[in-house]
Amino acid sequence: MTFKRNLVLSLLLGLAGGVSAYVLAWGLFTTHPELGVEPASGRAIALWVTPLIFLGSIIYFGTGSRHR
């Protein structure tokens, strides 16, 4: 795969992972108030998950294309 395609795919994976993490965290914190965490904390989780998935997928796609 070309670098541009890897970059776009990694960006889409990062955004999808961030949105999924936000929805899951918001749902967990909303339905379980006994945890003592505000549902708005899902944004902070999503802001950490998005770049981690982006960087991880860039590394994964970068190393996968070298072996071909």
Side-chain angles (χ1 to χ4, degrees), residues 37-55:
V37 181
E38 292 294 321
S41 299
R43 283 188 303 236
I45 293 171
L47 290 175
W48 276 100
V49 167
T50 301
L52 289 176
I53 291 178
F54 173 75
L55 291 173

Side-chain angles (χ1 to χ4, degrees), residues 25-66:
W26 181 83
L28 176 70
F29 300 147
T30 300
T31 58
H32 294 284
E34 69 272 7
L35 295 174
V37 181
E38 292 294 321
S41 299
R43 283 188 303 236
I45 293 171
L47 290 175
W48 276 100
V49 167
T50 301
L52 289 176
I53 291 178
F54 173 75
L55 291 173
S57 62
I58 282 285
I59 292 169
Y60 175 78
F61 292 136
T63 57
S65 64
R66 288 185 185 174

Side-chain angles (χ1 to χ4, degrees), residues 3-28:
F3 178 72
K4 187 182 248 187
R5 183 173 178 199
N6 288 345
L7 193 64
V8 169
L9 188 56
S10 294
L11 183 62
L12 290 175
L13 284 172
L15 289 174
V19 168
S20 299
Y22 174 73
V23 169
L24 289 171
W26 181 83
L28 176 70

